[in-house]
Amino acid sequence: MAEARAAATVLESHDPSLMLLTVEEAARRLRIGRTTCFRLVLAGEIESVTVGRLRRIPADAVPAYVAKLRHRPAEAA
């Protein structure tokens, strides 16, 4: 039963028909932690919307964030 639940979670996180993602789903797609994703949302780095009292991330905001990262100049060490 745990395997079926894990498989369902993987399928849900990559379902192309989803328009809005939870912060957890977006974090999973980015392979970052939930807390880090919340910080990026609060900082305005990743676009998000509210639906009632819920915070959701548009599915197309995830690749947009990655594209923004790829085009940033390298930071000096």
Side-chain angles (χ1 to χ4, degrees):
M1 176 129 128
E3 290 178 20
R5 187 173 38 228
T9 301
V10 169
L11 290 176
E12 286 175 13
S13 67
H14 298 304
D15 184 353
S17 66
L18 293 177
M19 299 290 291
L20 296 173
L21 307 172
T22 65
V23 174
E24 290 83 0
E25 290 168 336
R28 211 173 304 127
R29 287 186 181 191
L30 291 167
R31 303 290 197 263
I32 61 175
R34 176 180 166 272
T35 303
T36 301
C37 195
F38 267 111
R39 286 185 184 142
L40 291 170
V41 165
L42 291 174
E45 292 287 320
I46 298 177
E47 178 189 358
S48 68
V49 296
T50 54
V51 180
R53 292 175 46 187
L54 304 174
R55 174 70 51 189
R56 295 292 182 253
I57 297 174
D60 61 348
V62 175
Y65 172 69
V66 173
K68 188 167 50 169
L69 287 176
R70 294 179 75 179
H71 292 96
R72 272 190 192 163
E75 294 180 16

Short mmCIF file of all heavy atoms in Angstrom, two decimals:
data_model
loop_
_atom_site.label_atom_id
_atom_site.label_comp_id
_atom_site.label_asym_id
_atom_site.label_seq_id
_atom_site.Cartn_x
_atom_site.Cartn_y
_atom_site.Cartn_z
N MET A 1 0.83 -1.19 0.00
CA MET A 1 0.00 0.00 0.00
C MET A 1 0.87 1.25 0.00
O MET A 1 0.54 2.21 -0.65
CB MET A 1 -0.91 -0.02 1.22
CG MET A 1 -1.72 1.23 1.31
SD MET A 1 -3.42 0.92 1.51
CE MET A 1 -3.76 1.89 2.92
N ALA A 2 1.98 1.24 0.72
CA ALA A 2 2.88 2.39 0.74
C ALA A 2 3.47 2.65 -0.64
O ALA A 2 3.66 3.80 -1.03
CB ALA A 2 4.00 2.18 1.76
N GLU A 3 3.72 1.57 -1.40
CA GLU A 3 4.26 1.73 -2.75
C GLU A 3 3.25 2.42 -3.65
O GLU A 3 3.63 3.28 -4.46
CB GLU A 3 4.63 0.37 -3.33
CG GLU A 3 5.83 -0.27 -2.68
CD GLU A 3 6.12 -1.64 -3.25
OE1 GLU A 3 5.65 -1.95 -4.37
OE2 GLU A 3 6.81 -2.40 -2.58
N ALA A 4 1.99 2.07 -3.54
CA ALA A 4 0.94 2.70 -4.35
C ALA A 4 0.82 4.17 -4.02
O ALA A 4 0.67 5.01 -4.91
CB ALA A 4 -0.39 1.99 -4.14
N ARG A 5 0.91 4.50 -2.73
CA ARG A 5 0.82 5.90 -2.31
C ARG A 5 2.02 6.69 -2.83
O ARG A 5 1.88 7.81 -3.31
CB ARG A 5 0.71 6.00 -0.80
CG ARG A 5 0.46 7.40 -0.31
CD ARG A 5 0.19 7.48 1.18
NE ARG A 5 1.01 6.58 1.96
CZ ARG A 5 0.54 5.77 2.92
NH1 ARG A 5 -0.73 5.77 3.21
NH2 ARG A 5 1.35 4.99 3.59
N ALA A 6 3.22 6.11 -2.76
CA ALA A 6 4.42 6.76 -3.26
C ALA A 6 4.33 6.97 -4.77
O ALA A 6 4.69 8.02 -5.28
CB ALA A 6 5.66 5.96 -2.91
N ALA A 7 3.83 5.98 -5.49
CA ALA A 7 3.67 6.10 -6.93
C ALA A 7 2.67 7.19 -7.28
O ALA A 7 2.87 7.97 -8.20
CB ALA A 7 3.25 4.77 -7.53
N ALA A 8 1.59 7.27 -6.52
CA ALA A 8 0.58 8.31 -6.75
C ALA A 8 1.17 9.69 -6.50
O ALA A 8 0.89 10.63 -7.25
CB ALA A 8 -0.64 8.09 -5.87
N THR A 9 2.00 9.82 -5.48
CA THR A 9 2.63 11.10 -5.18
C THR A 9 3.55 11.53 -6.31
O THR A 9 3.55 12.68 -6.72
CB THR A 9 3.43 11.02 -3.86
OG1 THR A 9 2.53 10.66 -2.83
CG2 THR A 9 4.07 12.36 -3.53
N VAL A 10 4.32 10.59 -6.85
CA VAL A 10 5.22 10.91 -7.96
C VAL A 10 4.41 11.33 -9.18
O VAL A 10 4.75 12.32 -9.84
CB VAL A 10 6.12 9.69 -8.30
CG1 VAL A 10 6.86 9.90 -9.60
CG2 VAL A 10 7.09 9.44 -7.16
N LEU A 11 3.34 10.63 -9.48
CA LEU A 11 2.51 10.98 -10.63
C LEU A 11 1.86 12.34 -10.45
O LEU A 11 1.79 13.13 -11.38
CB LEU A 11 1.44 9.91 -10.87
CG LEU A 11 1.95 8.57 -11.38
CD1 LEU A 11 0.80 7.58 -11.47
CD2 LEU A 11 2.62 8.72 -12.73
N GLU A 12 1.37 12.63 -9.25
CA GLU A 12 0.74 13.92 -8.99
C GLU A 12 1.72 15.06 -9.19
O GLU A 12 1.37 16.09 -9.73
CB GLU A 12 0.21 13.98 -7.56
CG GLU A 12 -1.03 13.18 -7.31
CD GLU A 12 -1.41 13.18 -5.85
OE1 GLU A 12 -0.87 14.00 -5.10
OE2 GLU A 12 -2.25 12.36 -5.47
N SER A 13 2.94 14.88 -8.74
CA SER A 13 3.90 15.98 -8.80
C SER A 13 4.33 16.29 -10.23
O SER A 13 4.86 17.35 -10.49
CB SER A 13 5.12 15.67 -7.93
OG SER A 13 5.84 14.59 -8.47
N HIS A 14 4.13 15.35 -11.16
CA HIS A 14 4.52 15.59 -12.54
C HIS A 14 3.32 15.62 -13.48
O HIS A 14 3.49 15.50 -14.68
CB HIS A 14 5.52 14.53 -12.99
CG HIS A 14 6.79 14.56 -12.20
ND1 HIS A 14 7.57 15.68 -12.07
CD2 HIS A 14 7.39 13.61 -11.46
CE1 HIS A 14 8.60 15.42 -11.31
NE2 HIS A 14 8.52 14.17 -10.91
N ASP A 15 2.14 15.77 -12.95
CA ASP A 15 0.93 15.82 -13.76
C ASP A 15 0.90 17.14 -14.52
O ASP A 15 0.77 18.21 -13.93
CB ASP A 15 -0.30 15.69 -12.86
CG ASP A 15 -1.60 15.64 -13.63
OD1 ASP A 15 -1.59 15.85 -14.86
OD2 ASP A 15 -2.64 15.40 -13.00
N PRO A 16 1.02 17.10 -15.85
CA PRO A 16 1.06 18.35 -16.63
C PRO A 16 -0.27 19.10 -16.63
O PRO A 16 -0.30 20.26 -17.02
CB PRO A 16 1.43 17.88 -18.04
CG PRO A 16 1.04 16.44 -18.08
CD PRO A 16 1.14 15.92 -16.68
N SER A 17 -1.36 18.46 -16.20
CA SER A 17 -2.65 19.14 -16.20
C SER A 17 -2.84 20.04 -14.98
O SER A 17 -3.78 20.82 -14.93
CB SER A 17 -3.79 18.14 -16.29
OG SER A 17 -3.84 17.35 -15.11
N LEU A 18 -1.94 19.93 -13.99
CA LEU A 18 -2.06 20.77 -12.79
C LEU A 18 -1.70 22.21 -13.14
O LEU A 18 -0.62 22.47 -13.68
CB LEU A 18 -1.14 20.27 -11.68
CG LEU A 18 -1.48 18.91 -11.07
CD1 LEU A 18 -0.44 18.53 -10.04
CD2 LEU A 18 -2.86 18.94 -10.45
N MET A 19 -2.56 23.13 -12.82
CA MET A 19 -2.31 24.54 -13.09
C MET A 19 -1.63 25.21 -11.90
O MET A 19 -0.80 26.08 -12.07
CB MET A 19 -3.63 25.26 -13.40
CG MET A 19 -4.34 24.72 -14.61
SD MET A 19 -3.49 25.10 -16.13
CE MET A 19 -3.71 26.85 -16.21
N LEU A 20 -2.03 24.82 -10.69
CA LEU A 20 -1.49 25.40 -9.48
C LEU A 20 -0.89 24.29 -8.62
O LEU A 20 -1.48 23.23 -8.46
CB LEU A 20 -2.57 26.13 -8.68
CG LEU A 20 -3.20 27.34 -9.36
CD1 LEU A 20 -4.36 27.86 -8.53
CD2 LEU A 20 -2.17 28.42 -9.56
N LEU A 21 0.28 24.57 -8.09
CA LEU A 21 0.99 23.60 -7.26
C LEU A 21 1.01 24.09 -5.82
O LEU A 21 1.05 25.29 -5.57
CB LEU A 21 2.43 23.44 -7.73
CG LEU A 21 2.66 23.11 -9.20
CD1 LEU A 21 4.14 23.20 -9.52
CD2 LEU A 21 2.11 21.75 -9.52
N THR A 22 1.04 23.15 -4.89
CA THR A 22 1.30 23.53 -3.51
C THR A 22 2.78 23.88 -3.41
O THR A 22 3.58 23.54 -4.30
CB THR A 22 1.00 22.37 -2.53
OG1 THR A 22 1.90 21.30 -2.80
CG2 THR A 22 -0.44 21.90 -2.65
N VAL A 23 3.17 24.54 -2.35
CA VAL A 23 4.58 24.87 -2.15
C VAL A 23 5.40 23.58 -2.07
O VAL A 23 6.50 23.50 -2.61
CB VAL A 23 4.76 25.75 -0.90
CG1 VAL A 23 6.23 25.96 -0.60
CG2 VAL A 23 4.06 27.09 -1.10
N GLU A 24 4.84 22.56 -1.44
CA GLU A 24 5.54 21.28 -1.33
C GLU A 24 5.78 20.65 -2.70
O GLU A 24 6.85 20.12 -2.97
CB GLU A 24 4.76 20.32 -0.43
CG GLU A 24 4.76 20.71 1.03
CD GLU A 24 3.71 21.75 1.38
OE1 GLU A 24 2.94 22.21 0.48
OE2 GLU A 24 3.66 22.15 2.55
N GLU A 25 4.77 20.70 -3.57
CA GLU A 25 4.92 20.14 -4.92
C GLU A 25 5.96 20.91 -5.72
O GLU A 25 6.77 20.31 -6.43
CB GLU A 25 3.57 20.16 -5.66
CG GLU A 25 2.57 19.18 -5.11
CD GLU A 25 1.16 19.39 -5.64
OE1 GLU A 25 0.84 20.52 -6.07
OE2 GLU A 25 0.39 18.42 -5.61
N ALA A 26 5.94 22.23 -5.61
CA ALA A 26 6.94 23.04 -6.32
C ALA A 26 8.34 22.75 -5.79
O ALA A 26 9.29 22.62 -6.56
CB ALA A 26 6.61 24.53 -6.17
N ALA A 27 8.47 22.61 -4.48
CA ALA A 27 9.76 22.29 -3.88
C ALA A 27 10.27 20.95 -4.38
O ALA A 27 11.45 20.79 -4.70
CB ALA A 27 9.66 22.29 -2.35
N ARG A 28 9.37 19.98 -4.48
CA ARG A 28 9.75 18.65 -4.97
C ARG A 28 10.25 18.73 -6.40
O ARG A 28 11.23 18.11 -6.76
CB ARG A 28 8.54 17.72 -4.88
CG ARG A 28 8.90 16.29 -4.63
CD ARG A 28 7.69 15.39 -4.37
NE ARG A 28 6.88 15.87 -3.26
CZ ARG A 28 5.57 16.09 -3.34
NH1 ARG A 28 4.91 15.87 -4.46
NH2 ARG A 28 4.89 16.51 -2.30
N ARG A 29 9.57 19.53 -7.23
CA ARG A 29 10.00 19.68 -8.63
C ARG A 29 11.37 20.36 -8.73
O ARG A 29 12.15 20.05 -9.62
CB ARG A 29 8.98 20.50 -9.42
CG ARG A 29 7.73 19.74 -9.72
CD ARG A 29 6.82 20.52 -10.62
NE ARG A 29 5.60 19.77 -10.87
CZ ARG A 29 4.71 20.09 -11.78
NH1 ARG A 29 4.90 21.15 -12.53
NH2 ARG A 29 3.64 19.36 -11.95
N LEU A 30 11.63 21.28 -7.82
CA LEU A 30 12.91 21.99 -7.83
C LEU A 30 14.00 21.23 -7.07
O LEU A 30 15.16 21.64 -7.08
CB LEU A 30 12.74 23.38 -7.20
CG LEU A 30 11.93 24.37 -8.02
CD1 LEU A 30 11.55 25.57 -7.18
CD2 LEU A 30 12.70 24.79 -9.26
N ARG A 31 13.61 20.16 -6.39
CA ARG A 31 14.54 19.37 -5.58
C ARG A 31 15.18 20.22 -4.48
O ARG A 31 16.37 20.16 -4.22
CB ARG A 31 15.63 18.71 -6.42
CG ARG A 31 15.15 17.81 -7.52
CD ARG A 31 14.54 16.54 -6.94
NE ARG A 31 14.44 15.48 -7.94
CZ ARG A 31 13.33 15.22 -8.62
NH1 ARG A 31 12.26 15.96 -8.45
NH2 ARG A 31 13.29 14.22 -9.47
N ILE A 32 14.32 21.05 -3.85
CA ILE A 32 14.76 21.86 -2.71
C ILE A 32 13.82 21.58 -1.55
O ILE A 32 12.78 20.95 -1.72
CB ILE A 32 14.77 23.38 -3.03
CG1 ILE A 32 13.36 23.87 -3.38
CG2 ILE A 32 15.75 23.69 -4.15
CD1 ILE A 32 13.26 25.38 -3.59
N GLY A 33 14.18 22.05 -0.39
CA GLY A 33 13.35 21.84 0.79
C GLY A 33 12.12 22.73 0.80
O GLY A 33 12.08 23.78 0.16
N ARG A 34 11.12 22.29 1.54
CA ARG A 34 9.87 23.03 1.68
C ARG A 34 10.11 24.42 2.27
O ARG A 34 9.57 25.41 1.80
CB ARG A 34 8.95 22.19 2.57
CG ARG A 34 7.65 22.80 2.91
CD ARG A 34 6.88 21.82 3.82
NE ARG A 34 5.77 22.48 4.43
CZ ARG A 34 5.81 23.15 5.57
NH1 ARG A 34 6.92 23.22 6.24
NH2 ARG A 34 4.74 23.74 6.05
N THR A 35 10.95 24.50 3.30
CA THR A 35 11.23 25.78 3.95
C THR A 35 11.93 26.73 2.98
O THR A 35 11.60 27.91 2.92
CB THR A 35 12.07 25.56 5.21
OG1 THR A 35 11.38 24.67 6.07
CG2 THR A 35 12.34 26.87 5.93
N THR A 36 12.88 26.22 2.23
CA THR A 36 13.59 27.04 1.24
C THR A 36 12.60 27.56 0.20
O THR A 36 12.65 28.73 -0.18
CB THR A 36 14.70 26.23 0.55
OG1 THR A 36 15.61 25.78 1.54
CG2 THR A 36 15.42 27.05 -0.49
N CYS A 37 11.69 26.71 -0.24
CA CYS A 37 10.70 27.14 -1.23
C CYS A 37 9.79 28.22 -0.65
O CYS A 37 9.48 29.20 -1.33
CB CYS A 37 9.89 25.93 -1.71
SG CYS A 37 8.96 26.25 -3.21
N PHE A 38 9.36 28.06 0.60
CA PHE A 38 8.54 29.10 1.23
C PHE A 38 9.31 30.42 1.30
O PHE A 38 8.74 31.49 1.05
CB PHE A 38 8.11 28.68 2.64
CG PHE A 38 6.78 28.00 2.68
CD1 PHE A 38 6.68 26.66 2.98
CD2 PHE A 38 5.61 28.71 2.43
CE1 PHE A 38 5.46 26.02 3.03
CE2 PHE A 38 4.38 28.09 2.48
CZ PHE A 38 4.30 26.74 2.78
N ARG A 39 10.59 30.37 1.61
CA ARG A 39 11.39 31.59 1.66
C ARG A 39 11.48 32.26 0.30
O ARG A 39 11.40 33.49 0.19
CB ARG A 39 12.79 31.28 2.19
CG ARG A 39 12.81 31.03 3.67
CD ARG A 39 14.23 30.84 4.18
NE ARG A 39 14.19 30.49 5.60
CZ ARG A 39 14.99 29.63 6.16
NH1 ARG A 39 15.93 29.02 5.46
NH2 ARG A 39 14.89 29.37 7.45
N LEU A 40 11.65 31.47 -0.75
CA LEU A 40 11.70 32.02 -2.12
C LEU A 40 10.36 32.66 -2.49
O LEU A 40 10.33 33.71 -3.13
CB LEU A 40 12.07 30.93 -3.12
CG LEU A 40 13.50 30.41 -3.03
CD1 LEU A 40 13.67 29.16 -3.90
CD2 LEU A 40 14.49 31.48 -3.43
N VAL A 41 9.27 32.04 -2.08
CA VAL A 41 7.94 32.60 -2.35
C VAL A 41 7.77 33.93 -1.61
O VAL A 41 7.36 34.93 -2.18
CB VAL A 41 6.83 31.60 -1.95
CG1 VAL A 41 5.47 32.28 -1.87
CG2 VAL A 41 6.80 30.44 -2.94
N LEU A 42 8.12 33.93 -0.32
CA LEU A 42 7.96 35.15 0.48
C LEU A 42 8.87 36.28 -0.02
O LEU A 42 8.50 37.45 0.09
CB LEU A 42 8.23 34.86 1.95
CG LEU A 42 7.18 33.97 2.63
CD1 LEU A 42 7.61 33.63 4.05
CD2 LEU A 42 5.82 34.64 2.63
N ALA A 43 10.03 35.93 -0.58
CA ALA A 43 10.95 36.94 -1.11
C ALA A 43 10.53 37.40 -2.51
O ALA A 43 11.12 38.34 -3.04
CB ALA A 43 12.37 36.37 -1.16
N GLY A 44 9.53 36.76 -3.09
CA GLY A 44 9.09 37.15 -4.43
C GLY A 44 9.93 36.54 -5.54
O GLY A 44 9.77 36.91 -6.70
N GLU A 45 10.81 35.61 -5.20
CA GLU A 45 11.65 34.97 -6.21
C GLU A 45 10.84 34.02 -7.09
O GLU A 45 11.11 33.87 -8.27
CB GLU A 45 12.79 34.20 -5.55
CG GLU A 45 13.81 35.08 -4.86
CD GLU A 45 14.69 35.81 -5.85
OE1 GLU A 45 15.09 35.21 -6.86
OE2 GLU A 45 14.97 36.99 -5.62
N ILE A 46 9.87 33.35 -6.48
CA ILE A 46 8.97 32.46 -7.20
C ILE A 46 7.58 33.05 -7.12
O ILE A 46 7.10 33.38 -6.03
CB ILE A 46 8.98 31.03 -6.60
CG1 ILE A 46 10.37 30.41 -6.70
CG2 ILE A 46 7.95 30.15 -7.31
CD1 ILE A 46 10.48 29.04 -6.07
N GLU A 47 6.93 33.19 -8.25
CA GLU A 47 5.58 33.74 -8.29
C GLU A 47 4.61 32.83 -7.56
O GLU A 47 4.70 31.61 -7.64
CB GLU A 47 5.13 33.87 -9.76
CG GLU A 47 3.73 34.39 -9.92
CD GLU A 47 3.22 34.31 -11.35
OE1 GLU A 47 3.98 33.88 -12.23
OE2 GLU A 47 2.06 34.68 -11.55
N SER A 48 3.68 33.44 -6.83
CA SER A 48 2.65 32.66 -6.15
C SER A 48 1.36 33.46 -6.12
O SER A 48 1.36 34.67 -6.35
CB SER A 48 3.09 32.31 -4.73
OG SER A 48 3.15 33.47 -3.93
N VAL A 49 0.28 32.76 -5.89
CA VAL A 49 -1.04 33.38 -5.80
C VAL A 49 -1.73 32.84 -4.56
O VAL A 49 -1.35 31.79 -4.03
CB VAL A 49 -1.90 33.09 -7.04
CG1 VAL A 49 -1.28 33.69 -8.29
CG2 VAL A 49 -2.13 31.61 -7.23
N THR A 50 -2.73 33.57 -4.10
CA THR A 50 -3.54 33.05 -3.00
C THR A 50 -4.91 32.68 -3.53
O THR A 50 -5.48 33.37 -4.39
CB THR A 50 -3.70 34.07 -1.86
OG1 THR A 50 -4.20 35.29 -2.39
CG2 THR A 50 -2.39 34.34 -1.17
N VAL A 51 -5.40 31.57 -3.05
CA VAL A 51 -6.75 31.10 -3.36
C VAL A 51 -7.42 30.93 -2.01
O VAL A 51 -7.14 29.98 -1.30
CB VAL A 51 -6.72 29.76 -4.14
CG1 VAL A 51 -8.13 29.31 -4.44
CG2 VAL A 51 -5.88 29.88 -5.40
N GLY A 52 -8.22 31.91 -1.66
CA GLY A 52 -8.77 31.93 -0.31
C GLY A 52 -7.63 32.13 0.67
O GLY A 52 -6.92 33.13 0.60
N ARG A 53 -7.43 31.17 1.55
CA ARG A 53 -6.33 31.25 2.52
C ARG A 53 -5.13 30.40 2.09
O ARG A 53 -4.16 30.30 2.82
CB ARG A 53 -6.82 30.79 3.89
CG ARG A 53 -7.84 31.74 4.49
CD ARG A 53 -8.41 31.24 5.78
NE ARG A 53 -7.40 30.74 6.69
CZ ARG A 53 -7.66 30.12 7.83
NH1 ARG A 53 -8.91 29.92 8.18
NH2 ARG A 53 -6.69 29.70 8.60
N LEU A 54 -5.21 29.80 0.91
CA LEU A 54 -4.16 28.90 0.44
C LEU A 54 -3.15 29.62 -0.42
O LEU A 54 -3.49 30.51 -1.20
CB LEU A 54 -4.77 27.75 -0.38
CG LEU A 54 -5.85 26.93 0.32
CD1 LEU A 54 -6.46 25.95 -0.66
CD2 LEU A 54 -5.27 26.21 1.51
N ARG A 55 -1.90 29.23 -0.33
CA ARG A 55 -0.82 29.76 -1.17
C ARG A 55 -0.52 28.72 -2.23
O ARG A 55 -0.27 27.56 -1.91
CB ARG A 55 0.42 30.02 -0.30
CG ARG A 55 1.65 30.44 -1.03
CD ARG A 55 1.60 31.81 -1.63
NE ARG A 55 1.20 32.83 -0.69
CZ ARG A 55 0.92 34.08 -1.06
NH1 ARG A 55 1.04 34.45 -2.30
NH2 ARG A 55 0.53 34.96 -0.17
N ARG A 56 -0.59 29.11 -3.49
CA ARG A 56 -0.32 28.20 -4.59
C ARG A 56 0.68 28.82 -5.56
O ARG A 56 0.77 30.05 -5.68
CB ARG A 56 -1.60 27.84 -5.36
CG ARG A 56 -2.59 27.05 -4.53
CD ARG A 56 -2.06 25.67 -4.22
NE ARG A 56 -3.00 24.86 -3.48
CZ ARG A 56 -2.88 24.56 -2.21
NH1 ARG A 56 -1.87 25.02 -1.50
NH2 ARG A 56 -3.76 23.80 -1.62
N ILE A 57 1.42 27.98 -6.24
CA ILE A 57 2.43 28.42 -7.21
C ILE A 57 1.97 27.96 -8.58
O ILE A 57 1.75 26.76 -8.80
CB ILE A 57 3.81 27.82 -6.86
CG1 ILE A 57 4.26 28.33 -5.50
CG2 ILE A 57 4.83 28.14 -7.95
CD1 ILE A 57 5.54 27.71 -4.99
N PRO A 58 1.81 28.90 -9.53
CA PRO A 58 1.45 28.49 -10.89
C PRO A 58 2.50 27.53 -11.43
O PRO A 58 3.70 27.73 -11.23
CB PRO A 58 1.43 29.81 -11.68
CG PRO A 58 1.23 30.86 -10.64
CD PRO A 58 1.91 30.35 -9.40
N ALA A 59 2.06 26.48 -12.12
CA ALA A 59 2.98 25.47 -12.62
C ALA A 59 4.05 26.07 -13.52
O ALA A 59 5.21 25.63 -13.49
CB ALA A 59 2.21 24.37 -13.36
N ASP A 60 3.71 27.09 -14.29
CA ASP A 60 4.71 27.68 -15.19
C ASP A 60 5.69 28.61 -14.46
O ASP A 60 6.69 29.03 -15.04
CB ASP A 60 4.05 28.41 -16.35
CG ASP A 60 3.15 29.56 -15.90
OD1 ASP A 60 2.85 29.67 -14.70
OD2 ASP A 60 2.75 30.36 -16.77
N ALA A 61 5.44 28.89 -13.19
CA ALA A 61 6.37 29.72 -12.41
C ALA A 61 7.63 28.95 -12.04
O ALA A 61 8.69 29.56 -11.83
CB ALA A 61 5.69 30.25 -11.15
N VAL A 62 7.54 27.63 -11.99
CA VAL A 62 8.72 26.82 -11.63
C VAL A 62 9.78 26.89 -12.74
O VAL A 62 10.92 27.25 -12.47
CB VAL A 62 8.32 25.37 -11.28
CG1 VAL A 62 9.53 24.52 -11.03
CG2 VAL A 62 7.40 25.36 -10.06
N PRO A 63 9.43 26.59 -14.00
CA PRO A 63 10.46 26.74 -15.05
C PRO A 63 10.89 28.19 -15.25
O PRO A 63 12.04 28.45 -15.61
CB PRO A 63 9.82 26.16 -16.31
CG PRO A 63 8.40 25.94 -15.99
CD PRO A 63 8.22 25.96 -14.52
N ALA A 64 10.00 29.14 -14.98
CA ALA A 64 10.38 30.55 -15.10
C ALA A 64 11.44 30.91 -14.06
O ALA A 64 12.38 31.65 -14.36
CB ALA A 64 9.15 31.44 -14.93
N TYR A 65 11.30 30.37 -12.86
CA TYR A 65 12.30 30.60 -11.81
C TYR A 65 13.64 30.00 -12.21
O TYR A 65 14.69 30.63 -12.05
CB TYR A 65 11.82 30.03 -10.48
CG TYR A 65 12.87 30.05 -9.41
CD1 TYR A 65 13.29 31.27 -8.85
CD2 TYR A 65 13.47 28.89 -8.95
CE1 TYR A 65 14.28 31.30 -7.87
CE2 TYR A 65 14.45 28.92 -7.98
CZ TYR A 65 14.85 30.13 -7.45
OH TYR A 65 15.83 30.16 -6.49
N VAL A 66 13.63 28.79 -12.75
CA VAL A 66 14.86 28.14 -13.17
C VAL A 66 15.52 28.94 -14.30
O VAL A 66 16.74 29.14 -14.30
CB VAL A 66 14.60 26.68 -13.61
CG1 VAL A 66 15.85 26.05 -14.21
CG2 VAL A 66 14.12 25.86 -12.42
N ALA A 67 14.73 29.43 -15.24
CA ALA A 67 15.28 30.24 -16.33
C ALA A 67 15.91 31.52 -15.79
O ALA A 67 16.98 31.94 -16.25
CB ALA A 67 14.17 30.58 -17.33
N LYS A 68 15.26 32.11 -14.78
CA LYS A 68 15.82 33.32 -14.16
C LYS A 68 17.16 33.01 -13.49
O LYS A 68 18.10 33.79 -13.59
CB LYS A 68 14.81 33.86 -13.13
CG LYS A 68 15.17 35.19 -12.54
CD LYS A 68 14.03 35.84 -11.77
CE LYS A 68 13.37 34.95 -10.76
NZ LYS A 68 12.46 35.68 -9.86
N LEU A 69 17.25 31.85 -12.86
CA LEU A 69 18.51 31.46 -12.23
C LEU A 69 19.62 31.26 -13.27
O LEU A 69 20.77 31.63 -13.06
CB LEU A 69 18.35 30.15 -11.45
CG LEU A 69 17.57 30.20 -10.14
CD1 LEU A 69 17.45 28.79 -9.57
CD2 LEU A 69 18.24 31.13 -9.15
N ARG A 70 19.26 30.68 -14.40
CA ARG A 70 20.24 30.38 -15.44
C ARG A 70 20.79 31.65 -16.09
O ARG A 70 21.90 31.65 -16.60
CB ARG A 70 19.63 29.49 -16.50
CG ARG A 70 19.30 28.12 -15.96
CD ARG A 70 18.70 27.25 -16.99
NE ARG A 70 19.77 26.83 -17.89
CZ ARG A 70 19.60 26.04 -18.92
NH1 ARG A 70 18.40 25.61 -19.23
NH2 ARG A 70 20.62 25.69 -19.68
N HIS A 71 20.01 32.72 -16.07
CA HIS A 71 20.44 33.95 -16.74
C HIS A 71 21.03 34.99 -15.78
O HIS A 71 21.37 36.08 -16.19
CB HIS A 71 19.27 34.54 -17.52
CG HIS A 71 18.89 33.68 -18.69
ND1 HIS A 71 17.89 32.75 -18.61
CD2 HIS A 71 19.44 33.56 -19.91
CE1 HIS A 71 17.81 32.12 -19.76
NE2 HIS A 71 18.73 32.58 -20.57
N ARG A 72 21.13 34.63 -14.51
CA ARG A 72 21.76 35.53 -13.54
C ARG A 72 23.27 35.50 -13.75
O ARG A 72 23.84 34.44 -13.99
CB ARG A 72 21.51 35.06 -12.11
CG ARG A 72 20.27 35.57 -11.51
CD ARG A 72 20.25 35.23 -10.04
NE ARG A 72 18.93 35.46 -9.51
CZ ARG A 72 18.49 34.98 -8.37
NH1 ARG A 72 19.27 34.22 -7.64
NH2 ARG A 72 17.29 35.25 -7.96
N PRO A 73 23.92 36.65 -13.62
CA PRO A 73 25.39 36.62 -13.68
C PRO A 73 25.93 35.84 -12.48
O PRO A 73 25.33 35.85 -11.40
CB PRO A 73 25.80 38.09 -13.62
CG PRO A 73 24.60 38.83 -13.17
CD PRO A 73 23.39 37.98 -13.43
N ALA A 74 27.01 35.16 -12.69
CA ALA A 74 27.64 34.39 -11.61
C ALA A 74 28.07 35.32 -10.50
O ALA A 74 28.63 36.38 -10.72
CB ALA A 74 28.83 33.61 -12.13
N GLU A 75 27.75 34.91 -9.25
CA GLU A 75 28.13 35.73 -8.11
C GLU A 75 29.60 35.50 -7.77
O GLU A 75 30.10 34.38 -7.88
CB GLU A 75 27.27 35.37 -6.89
CG GLU A 75 25.80 35.72 -7.10
CD GLU A 75 24.95 35.36 -5.89
OE1 GLU A 75 25.54 35.13 -4.81
OE2 GLU A 75 23.74 35.32 -6.03
N ALA A 76 30.28 36.55 -7.36
CA ALA A 76 31.69 36.42 -6.98
C ALA A 76 31.79 35.66 -5.66
O ALA A 76 30.99 35.85 -4.75
CB ALA A 76 32.33 37.80 -6.84
N ALA A 77 32.78 34.82 -5.57
CA ALA A 77 32.94 34.01 -4.36
C ALA A 77 33.60 34.75 -3.24
O ALA A 77 34.19 35.72 -3.25
CB ALA A 77 33.78 32.77 -4.68
#
